[in-house]
Every structure is written in C-alpha cells, then in structure tokens.
Amino acid sequence: MKSERQQVILDLLQQHQTVTVKMISDSLHVSDMTIRRDLAEMAEEGLVVRVHGGAQLPRSARGSSLLRVRSHEEKKHRSVEQKRAAARAAAKIVKPGDAIFLGGGTTLELMCDYLPKADIRVVTNSMPVLNLLADNPHIDLFLVGGTLRQDTRVFTTPYGARAFHGLSTNKAFVSATGVFGNEVFGSHPDVGALLGNAVSHSAEAYLVLDDDKVGVRDFCSFTTLDRIAAAFINPGASAEAIKSLETYTTVIAE
C-alpha cells in the first residue's frame, strides 16, 4: 500500500537523513517509477525535499521542520504498531482512582483500549478520546477546550486563555509533533497553550510518542523534557532517539 511505502521511506530517512531512489527500491522491491511518484507526492506534502537521485528530510538550523500539518485521518494510518506499543506501556501506569489528562493525537487515542477496568477520571480535549470513552461505565469524563479543530479533532481555547479552571490531575499524558533537544513541540499555539496548561496542572506529566518525532522541531514549544516524568516510546526505537530523550528524562520502551 502507498501509505506503508511512504512510511518505510520516512523510516529510512530518519536513519540516513538522505536516501536514493535505488536504496528505497531495494528495500521495498518496487520499481523506481513507483518510488519517484511517492517522493513527488511526499515533497508536495512537505514531508521530504527532493534532491538529485533521491530525497532528504527538510531541515532547519535547529532540526527537521514540519512544513505541513498532517490531518487526523492521515496520522491514524502511520506507524500504527509503534504507536500501539507506546500507548499500551503508558496505560499500564494508570491505576484505579487516578485522575488523568489524555491529550489529542492518534497515539493517545490507542491508550483508551488499555485503560484499567476500574473507576478513574479522564480529562481530555480530544473528540476521538471523548467518543471512545463516552460509554465506559468506569470513567468520569471531562471535556476542556471550546473550539474544535477539524484537522486534528481536538478542542482548543484562545491562546493565553485558561482551560482548566481549577481542575487538576495526578497524571497527564501528552503527545507531540516534535521533540528537539529539551523542547517538546506542537503545531498550533492554541493547542500548545492548552497542553502546557495540562502539564502544569498535573502532579506528573508523561510524553507518549513514536521515535520519528525525535529530532524534529515544530512551530510551538509547549513544555520541556526535564518537566516530563517519563517518555514512552515504541520498542525498536533508534538508539539515537533514546539517547536524545535520556539526556533530559526517563525513557520507557517496552
């Protein structure tokens, strides 16, 4: 499938920074013409930059730049097993009686499948999380944010506004579009402000992500890794990604 081919291309780019058409073709056992079509489409989406004979990741002076925000539907079909592994590991630390924040993003949505079958409170700004947990008899569910972003399916508040109004949690789980150095990034200031608010209103904050986000800088920094109790990352994550995260926080890959 095209989506799977393009994910393999991105994985190769994360490992090598620059790849050739031949390298991709040898890995996927498909024609050069197919690879060139994939690269052309990915370049239009801002995922890669075409170079002679291949492609490379878009770069800035401070890491990879995300040139286009992927829609929620696109994200659902990328790195699914990696996301599921990270989500499953993160859900293990949720205990009966906990009050947790679950942010938006397809990785955190997968956590809903693994939450304990015991009474907990869940605060969220995610429409998919709201829908997934609405009929769960063990969960008291609270929605924060006022305006729904159609592209990412999360609710936001105006930049600088208070979203939590006195609510607090003992564990907050957030995802990110990028992590570069100590900084954790999102794509939109409104979303970033709400996530930063969630981190500051929780006794402990956790980052749940797959390793293709590490080394990537995006538009809005909403917290720092040294404020994160632990980062849950997919098994098989690159040693470079794990080492980068471990400079600032505990990394759990299982």
Side-chain angles (χ1 to χ4, degrees), residues 131-178:
N131 290 334
L132 288 166
L133 298 181
D135 296 323
N136 189 321
H138 300 292
I139 291 176
D140 288 335
L141 195 55
F142 300 83
L143 180 68
V144 293
T147 302
L148 178 66
R149 290 194 62 90
Q150 293 292 339
D151 55 350
T152 55
R153 311 302 292 167
V154 297
F155 288 90
T156 68
T157 52
Y159 185 65
R162 293 175 64 243
F164 281 72
H165 301 288
L167 294 178
S168 65
T169 59
N170 55 306
K171 297 182 178 98
F173 297 89
V174 296
S175 59
T177 56

Side-chain angles (χ1 to χ4, degrees), residues 86-133:
R88 186 187 300 115
K92 288 180 181 178
I93 71 168
V94 180
K95 304 301 180 186
D98 274 350
I100 69 171
F101 173 79
L102 272 185
T106 52
T107 305
L108 296 179
E109 291 165 27
L110 291 169
M111 279 185 66
C112 295
D113 293 336
Y114 304 104
L115 292 175
K117 291 179 170 53
D119 291 341
I120 60 174
R121 291 189 175 100
V122 176
V123 181
T124 188
N125 68 320
S126 165
M127 174 66 84
V129 168
L130 184 72
N131 290 334
L132 288 166
L133 298 181

